[in-house]
Amino acid sequence: MNNIANKQAICNKLLEASQTDKDIVVLCSDSRGSASLTKFADELPEQFIEIGIAEQNLVTVSAGLASCGKKVFAVSPASFLSTRSMEQAKVDVAYSNTNVTLVGISGGISYGALGMTHHSANDIATMASIPNMRVYLPSDHFQTEKLIEALLQDDKPSYVRVGRNAVDPVYEENNIPFEMDKATLIKDGTDVTLIACGEMVKSAKDAAEILAKEGISARVVDMYCLKPIDKDIVIKAAKETKGIVTIEEHTIYGGLNSQVAQITAQNYPVTVIGMGLPDAPVITGKSQEVFDTYGLNAEGIAKEAKKVLNK
Amino acid sequence: MNLKIKATDLRKDILTLIYKARTGHTGGDMSVIDILTVLYYKYMNVNPENIKDPNRDRFILSKGHASEALYCVLSDKGFFPKSDLDNYSGYGSKYIGHPNNKVNGVEMNTGSLGHGLAVGVGMALAGRMDKKDYRVYAVMGDGEMAEGSVWEAIMAAGHYKLDNLTAFVDRNRLQISGTTEQVMTQDSQEKRWEAFGWNVLSINGNDIDALDAAVGLAKQSKGKPTVVIANTTKGCGVSYMENQAGWHHRVPTEEEYAQGIKELEQRRAQYE
Ligand SMILES: Cc1ncc(C[n+]2csc(CCOP(=O)(O)OP(=O)(O)O)c2C)c(N)n1
Ligand SMILES: [Mg+2]
């Protein structure tokens, strides 16, 4: 299995594109190693800027560079990027509309036992609440590459969150359906819809297989675009299946669940069950241990899906 | 108490903890442990029997990633049983990779760099308001000094002439990506702090006697907060770790662990 981390995919894409596009600039805040960007810094030092441990400066310096025509990627742990430098993201990136892509690495709870300071279980909420900020959580490295390619084509602000570890791919080398700002329908189904984002998509896909064995037809949607969210696919799911389960590596406040529930409530009310992280510091453990604790695995998702049908 | 022996024993505890847990910030623990030893075993008024004593001295590990060092000190002081650390960073443990104030003896949660000194300013101001004579100690990393929030706190402490506050900069000259001077220049710490109205002491931060003298002097400072620029060696005490950026959060192999313990035992013998 081709297991490379999403952050590695970002580095590869940026390295490739930066060979010819000399306006691409990457910034780090003592985070190049964790971002897998050491190779970029070594190979293209003139397109790399080290800011030191200063995430607020990282974001505003990025905005200044972008205002002078640079295509900027600011890469730092998602936790610090989405909270400490939130005002910089709001004012200097989103409000001033600068061509900055904020890349939050080691997102969600992927820092495990390092605790709540290092978790970003609220970054969808913070970033999506900022006008003019787009928010993306790609599900695997294939999709991450497609997303970065698309982001290199436009000049608008965005926030991309990826996890720390390599995860099993959702897609295959020669089958990577991707349309910018449109969710990907991974599997059609008629009983229940599973909408997931980021590294939860794989588990949702696996849950659909468990359900299929029990004769339940589950639709699986990869909502990598949290903002602008793909409303149509949500409304369609509400109409065509009996209910929706959302799965996210994020608190259920202000993330995927909130948005899906909002869309269905306004357009076509159906049962929407939200699976996510608790409103508390998460239990100490490795990613999989944490996910298992909160039922954020294929079995847990299948269980919740059945609740939709039994309502 | 022989503080040099104590610091050496704590180094062994730290190495063992990290080796067993397979996680930890080895280099920064080893550079900071002499500071913790002098504070916790000589100067600080803290008592595991009365952890919420309003008159206790306050300690904040702003470079929270050196949590193994703090947890080893706290357990050795009796704040909690040593065996609690058997599940350090393990499933369900409250002993996580940063100081967690669910743990006895930990005042504040840290881990996001650049918060600790400002917390210290608040504690020092409260001490002054309440006419208490407790002292406040905050320890920062030198890479951490790049955070703007640190300078806001330095400014406020200078402004309010918080002579009940002592800051330490663990000046080991390394951070994750390399030397501080490559990543973001941190010299001269002495001139920078002085410009903000602080009493500045620059010493060898792995020298117990020098630290002892500096903390004593800080207590006598009137009308100014004191910073101890503790010039340290990252990984201090274990030869193959010393001054190696890669040991920021590396975990020793079996051979490395054995060699580290051997070196520390030799070091201890010198002090006996
Ligand atoms: C706000 C924030 N940004 C980034 C990090 C990630 N981080 C943890 S330790 C570290 C390097 C710290 O270097 P330094 O302050 O010199 O500490 P020491 O050398 O004593 O370990 C970084 C960047 C963090 N914990 N907090
Ligand atoms: Mg350092």
Side-chain angles (χ1 to χ4, degrees):
Chain A
M1 200 162 293
N2 186 358
N3 250 359
I4 74 166
N6 294 352
K7 59 185 188 178
Q8 184 65 52
I10 295 178
C11 177
N12 296 348
K13 263 288 146 213
L14 290 178
L15 247 180
E16 184 190 305
S18 302
Q19 305 292 342
T20 47
D21 188 342
K22 292 296 161 190
D23 282 333
I24 297 173
V25 181
V26 173
L27 286 86
C28 281
S29 53
D30 199 13
S31 47
R32 75 182 78 167
S34 5
S36 307
L37 281 165
T38 307
K39 190 161 179 248
F40 189 102
D42 290 346
E43 287 185 16
L44 295 171
E46 68 289 351
Q47 282 170 268
F48 180 83
I49 297 174
E50 174 60 70
I51 285 291
I53 310 172
E55 296 80 7
Q56 300 177 64
N57 207 34
L58 173 88
V59 173
T60 300
V61 169
S62 297
L65 282 157
S67 75
C68 296
K70 301 297 176 196
K71 300 169 187 167
V72 187
F73 288 77
V75 190
S76 185
S79 53
F80 311 126
L81 205 51
S82 63
T83 50
R84 195 193 208 91
S85 32
M86 191 187 172
E87 195 193 59
Q88 284 74 13
K90 177 185 120 183
V91 176
D92 306 314
V93 178
Y95 184 33
S96 289
N97 193 28
T98 49
N99 186 6
V100 177
T101 302
L102 301 169
V103 180
I105 54 164
S106 303
I109 50 89
S110 41
Y111 273 126
L114 293 184
M116 182 155 155
T117 56
H118 282 56
H119 296 158
S120 59
N122 47 8
D123 53 347
I124 302 176
T126 58
M127 287 295 170
S129 69
I130 300 175
N132 196 37
M133 181 65 79
R134 298 172 298 168
V135 178
Y136 302 102
L137 272 74
S139 57
D140 76 355
H141 70 92
F142 294 121
Q143 192 186 55
T144 302
E145 285 188 16
K146 294 277 185 197
L147 174 66
I148 297 297
E149 279 168 17
L151 290 173
L152 281 164
Q153 299 307 312
D154 72 42
D155 54 6
K156 296 191 296 266
S158 54
Y159 172 77
V160 179
R161 182 233 271 192
V162 292
R164 187 186 199 187
N165 304 314
V167 286
D168 289 342
V170 173
Y171 304 101
E172 290 157 34
E173 188 77 60
N174 41 24
N175 181 21
I176 316 164
F178 183 86
E179 192 185 337
M180 189 58 166
D181 293 335
K182 289 282 166 218
T184 306
L185 179 67
I186 293 184
K187 182 184 163 300
D188 211 348
T190 49
D191 292 325
V192 57
T193 302
L194 311 176
I195 305 181
C197 61
E199 296 172 10
M200 288 289 117
V201 173
K202 179 71 171 72
S203 299
K205 196 179 164 195
D206 294 347
E209 278 174 28
I210 297 178
L211 290 165
K213 286 191 193 119
E214 300 180 30
I216 298 167
S217 162
R219 182 178 297 190
V220 183
V221 173
D222 178 348
M223 190 66 81
Y224 75 89
C225 46
L226 277 297
K227 194 189 169 191
I229 197 163
D230 184 346
K231 279 189 186 159
D232 297 341
I233 207 165
V234 174
I235 297 170
K236 201 161 179 282
K239 289 182 179 163
E240 296 176 359
T241 65
K242 297 183 189 81
I244 298 171
V245 179
T246 63
I247 312 102
E248 60 196 308
E249 188 180 346
H250 188 272
T251 157
I252 50 161
Y253 297 107
L256 177 65
N257 179 253
S258 300
Q259 296 204 49
V260 168
Q262 202 171 320
I263 295 166
T264 52
Q266 285 171 5
N267 295 281
Y268 198 91
V270 288
T271 300
V272 177
I273 293 183
M275 298 184 71
L277 297 167
D279 186 30
V282 303
I283 192 162
T284 307
K286 300 187 179 70
S287 291
Q288 199 55 52
E289 291 172 334
V290 175
F291 294 149
D292 291 346
T293 303
Y294 303 115
L296 293 167
N297 52 26
E299 294 73 27
I301 297 167
K303 206 169 127 198
E304 295 299 316
K306 282 187 258 177
K307 283 189 197 159
V308 170
L309 299 176
N310 293 338
K311 279 220 166 166
Chain B
M1 180 185 293
N2 185 328
L3 296 179
K4 290 175 187 161
I5 291 182
K6 179 55 78 182
T8 310
D9 289 343
L10 287 164
R11 281 190 164 84
K12 280 164 53 186
D13 291 349
I14 293 166
L15 195 62
T16 304
L17 177 61
I18 292 174
Y19 174 66
K20 286 194 183 151
R22 309 307 299 153
T23 180
H25 286 86
T26 322
D29 288 340
M30 294 295 174
S31 66
V32 85
I33 192 63
D34 298 300
I35 298 171
L36 297 194
T37 303
V38 169
L39 288 177
Y40 273 93
Y41 295 88
K42 169 135 189 201
Y43 283 98
M44 273 175 38
N45 167 33
V46 287
N47 179 0
E49 307 300 326
N50 189 8
I51 55 171
K52 291 291 169 201
D53 179 0
N55 295 313
R56 72 192 183 280
D57 288 335
R58 306 308 202 265
F59 177 81
I60 311 123
L61 186 64
S62 190
K63 45 166 274 186
H65 54 280
S67 59
E68 298 85 19
L70 181 61
Y71 287 147
C72 285
V73 167
L74 291 176
S75 67
D76 185 61
K77 295 275 297 182
F79 280 88
F80 52 82
K82 278 195 172 155
S83 58
D84 273 19
L85 292 175
D86 290 349
N87 191 27
Y88 177 68
S89 283
Y91 182 67
S93 178
K94 66 178 171 182
Y95 301 91
I96 61 172
H98 290 106
N100 175 359
N101 66 0
K102 290 202 185 83
V103 172
N104 283 353
V106 175
E107 299 281 352
M108 287 291 273
N109 291 322
T110 51
S112 178
L113 296 166
H115 291 237
L117 188 60
V119 169
V121 169
M123 290 171 160
L125 284 167
R128 180 182 282 177
M129 285 173 190
D130 295 344
K131 305 206 170 22
K132 293 201 180 302
D133 59 6
Y134 64 76
R135 298 194 60 79
V136 181
Y137 299 97
V139 178
M140 284 165 290
D142 51 0
E144 180 182 1
M145 298 307 295
E147 288 287 2
S149 56
V150 174
W151 296 95
E152 296 175 23
I154 294 174
M155 192 170 359
H159 178 79
Y160 288 108
K161 306 188 189 331
L162 296 175
D163 53 19
N164 51 350
L165 174 66
T166 304
F168 294 81
V169 179
D170 185 352
R171 187 78 177 101
N172 56 30
R173 299 195 158 264
L174 289 177
Q175 52 192 108
I176 298 180
S177 312
T179 71
T180 53
E181 302 318 278
Q182 282 166 346
V183 173
M184 187 54 58
T185 306
Q186 293 303 337
D187 279 334
S188 149
Q189 284 299 307
E190 290 79 1
K191 285 187 189 153
R192 295 180 189 191
W193 287 81
E194 207 184 320
F196 281 76
W198 285 60
N199 175 36
V200 181
L201 303 171
S202 186
I203 59 159
N204 176 345
N206 294 124
D207 178 342
I208 293 279
D209 297 327
L211 281 164
D212 186 348
V215 179
L217 279 174
K219 282 182 84 167
Q220 287 159 30
S221 171
K222 291 277 166 281
K224 275 185 180 188
T226 297
V227 60
V228 179
I229 310 298
N231 296 288
T232 56
T233 300
K234 204 157 176 172
C236 178
V238 181
S239 60
Y240 55 85
M241 286 179 195
E242 290 191 354
N243 288 315
Q244 299 299 317
W247 275 96
H248 178 76
H249 49 197
R250 248 199 73 188
V251 173
T253 62
E254 194 179 337
E255 297 76 52
E256 285 167 341
Y257 173 68
Q259 194 197 326
I261 293 293
K262 197 171 130 207
E263 288 183 20
L264 290 168
E265 271 160 8
Q266 285 163 355
R267 186 184 173 105
R268 192 183 199 283
Q270 285 171 19
Y271 297 139
E272 271 166 2

